Amino acid sequence: MKIQLNTDNHIDGTDALESRVNAMLEQALGRFSSRLTRIEVFLSDHNSTKGGPNDKRCALEARLENDEPLGVSHDDENMEKAIRGACDKLKTVLDARIEKRRGY
């Protein structure tokens, strides 16, 4: 499973951030790793330096083998909560898609 991190111009895409995001995704979505070819992560800050409620966004696009890409996003007050929220949503979507493919 390849993880590709993309950030907007308000977020510094450092190696430390990339390592943290990779660790969070591996922890949350590791059980799907044999079925996923790639996960794209898009991090953005709607209000830049102004702050505010739910101004951080994490959008995830997962690509299952031999299937269409699946996408989710989550907005929250800080980036870690936004990433965790998006991971939770993606787990639900992946579970549903995999069960549908199995025919259950």
Side-chain angles (χ1 to χ4, degrees):
M1 171 176 71
K2 181 179 186 219
I3 299 172
Q4 181 179 343
L5 177 64
N6 303 292
T7 61
D8 70 2
N9 58 349
H10 303 293
I11 296 175
D12 190 14
T14 63
D15 289 339
L17 176 63
E18 186 171 356
S19 294
R20 181 69 181 133
V21 169
N22 287 349
M24 291 173 73
L25 289 174
E26 289 287 340
Q27 179 184 12
L29 304 171
R31 66 186 171 116
F32 300 107
S33 64
S34 65
R35 297 173 184 265
L36 293 170
T37 58
R38 182 173 64 188
I39 296 178
E40 287 194 59
V41 182
F42 302 92
L43 302 178
S44 59
D45 184 346
H46 297 294
N47 295 338
S48 180
T49 58
K50 292 184 272 185
N54 299 336
D55 71 329
K56 307 293 190 276
R57 171 174 280 187
C58 175
L60 300 175
E61 182 180 270
R63 297 182 181 266
L64 285 165
E65 291 179 344
N66 304 318
D67 205 346
E68 296 291 317
L70 302 169
V72 297
S73 67
H74 185 77
D75 296 341
D76 218 312
E77 62 189 47
N78 65 48
M79 196 54 70
E80 185 158 336
K81 288 182 180 179
I83 295 167
R84 290 195 190 285
C87 284
D88 289 343
K89 289 179 181 180
L90 187 56
K91 276 193 274 190
T92 302
V93 170
L94 286 170
D95 277 332
R97 177 62 63 95
I98 290 168
E99 291 302 314
K100 183 178 179 182
R101 287 174 71 185
R102 284 185 186 159
Y104 293 125

